[in-house]
């Protein structure tokens, strides 16, 4: 019985020793890197994450892959001796829309306990002037001689009133419900409606440009595009 207990004890020591001798990947500061509140003009966001080998054997990092093309990563070394630290430089492009952003960086290594680790990149985007749902007019099913409309909302998220002026609209046959001046109070919004009756088939593109009194948004550009097809009713009437 004593011999059996001794064997179990020695086996336990061997297992513990084996675990301690293995490589171990640790992201210093935790598995999340947070820029907190940011604005689109700060894009791309940049940061450096430290990765340390806290094990007793060489750590080999075989793959570092971001979850989307909006994130770029660069690791200065993929082989870390015990106690060595590697630098992972990250860049994150953020949208021109308010709200939280969360992206993932996948890290694979020869850490036997945690071979696959996810690093989470986070930010809270603050936008004073927003064009939503997108900063472009979406014209669906455009046909020659048929008026088509598209709408976007212009929102003032700032704490000041913002004046929009000097509207430049192209092409000339694009009708937009904007006058000489538009003033939006804090948290006020305005629906911009653009309408057009295409005269010929093919590619259609448009621009609505305006100046603002907000110092960080001197100019706003809303674009639009679509493909105009033939109108079967018009062609039938011409026959």
């Amino acid at each position: 019985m004593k011999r059996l207990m001794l064997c179990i004890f020695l086996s336990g020591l061997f297992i513990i020793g084996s675990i301690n001798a293995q490589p171990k990947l640790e992201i210093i500061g935790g598995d999340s890197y947070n820029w907190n509140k940011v604005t689109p003009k700060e894009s791309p966001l940049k940061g450096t994450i430290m990765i340390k080998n806290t094990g007793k054997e060489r750590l080999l990092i075989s793959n570092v892959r971001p979850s989307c093309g909006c994130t770029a990563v660069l690791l200065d070394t993929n082989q870390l001796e015990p106690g060595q630290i590697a630098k992972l430089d990250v860049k994150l492009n953020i949208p021109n829309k308010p709200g939280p952003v969360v992206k993932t960086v996948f890290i694979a290594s020869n850490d036997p306990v945690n071979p696959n680790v996810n690093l989470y990149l986070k930010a809270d985007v603050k936008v004073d002037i927003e064009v939503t749902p997108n900063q472009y007019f979406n014209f669906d099913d455009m046909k020659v001689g048929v008026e088509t409309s598209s709408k976007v909302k212009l929102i003032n998220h700032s704490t000041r009133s913002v004046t929009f002026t000097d509207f430049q609209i192209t092409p000339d046959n694009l009708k937009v419900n904007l006058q000489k001046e538009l003033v939006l109070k804090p948290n006020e919004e305005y629906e911009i409606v653009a309408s057009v009756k295409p005269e010929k088939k093919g590619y259609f593109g448009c621009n609505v440009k305006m100046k603002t009194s907000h110092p960080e948004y001197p100019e706003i550009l809303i674009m639009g595009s679509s493909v105009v097809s033939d109108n079967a009713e018009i062609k039938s009437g011409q026959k």
Side-chain angles (χ1 to χ4, degrees):
M1 185 67 178
K2 290 182 178 180
R3 183 177 297 176
L4 176 62
M5 294 299 294
L6 179 61
C7 290
I8 294 173
F9 175 73
L10 292 176
S11 297
L13 289 178
F14 176 77
I15 293 172
I16 293 173
S18 298
I19 293 175
N20 289 336
Q22 295 171 346
K24 183 178 180 182
L25 186 150
E26 177 186 332
I27 300 175
I28 298 177
D31 63 356
S32 293
Y33 189 92
N34 199 336
W35 284 275
N36 297 309
K37 290 190 178 297
V38 296
T39 60
K41 69 176 184 178
E42 298 176 64
S43 185
L45 304 177
K46 298 179 182 180
T48 300
I49 290 91
M50 303 296 184
I51 299 175
K52 185 177 183 179
N53 179 10
T54 57
K56 301 298 183 181
E57 291 185 357
R58 178 182 295 177
L59 177 70
L60 303 177
I61 299 176
S62 57
N63 192 10
V64 180
R65 185 178 70 250
S67 61
C68 71
C70 64
T71 308
V73 295
L74 178 63
L75 185 68
D76 66 347
T77 180
N78 62 350
Q79 297 187 23
L80 285 77
E81 298 298 332
Q84 186 178 353
I85 294 175
K87 293 182 180 180
L88 177 65
D89 292 326
V90 297
K91 290 183 180 180
L92 176 63
N93 292 309
I94 56 175
N96 190 27
K97 296 182 74 65
V101 174
V102 180
K103 300 299 178 182
T104 307
V105 177
F106 170 80
I107 304 173
S109 73
N110 66 334
D111 182 334
V113 179
N114 294 303
N116 301 313
V117 176
N118 285 323
L119 169 67
Y120 298 96
L121 306 178
K122 301 179 179 180
D124 185 10
V125 183
K126 184 179 181 298
V127 176
D128 279 356
I129 306 298
E130 179 189 8
V131 180
T132 185
N134 297 292
Q135 198 159 332
Y136 60 85
F137 295 111
N138 184 21
F139 296 97
D140 294 325
D141 193 25
M142 295 188 79
K143 294 181 179 180
V144 174
V146 178
E147 187 171 87
T148 307
S149 299
S150 181
K151 302 176 182 178
V152 296
K153 284 185 178 180
L154 183 63
I155 307 176
N156 178 14
H157 293 289
S158 72
T159 57
R160 69 181 82 182
S161 292
V162 178
T163 302
F164 302 84
T165 57
D166 194 19
F167 302 113
Q168 300 177 39
I169 301 169
T170 54
D172 293 337
N173 62 336
L174 183 71
K175 301 176 182 177
V176 182
N177 61 333
L178 292 169
Q179 303 301 320
K180 293 183 178 180
E181 183 178 282
L182 171 66
V183 179
L184 292 182
K185 297 177 181 179
N187 298 315
E188 191 174 16
E189 63 182 50
Y190 181 80
E191 186 175 64
I192 301 175
V193 182
S195 302
V196 64
K197 184 183 291 187
E199 299 173 352
K200 59 181 180 179
K201 71 174 185 178
Y203 173 80
F204 171 80
C206 67
N207 290 326
V208 175
K209 188 185 296 185
M210 65 191 78
K211 294 182 179 179
T212 92
S213 62
H214 194 295
E216 295 182 9
Y217 299 83
E219 187 175 87
I220 290 178
L221 174 64
I222 307 173
M223 304 179 69
S225 64
S226 186
V227 176
V228 182
S229 61
D230 278 327
N231 190 330
E233 294 181 1
I234 293 179
K235 296 189 80 175
S236 298
Q238 292 175 346
K239 291 182 178 180

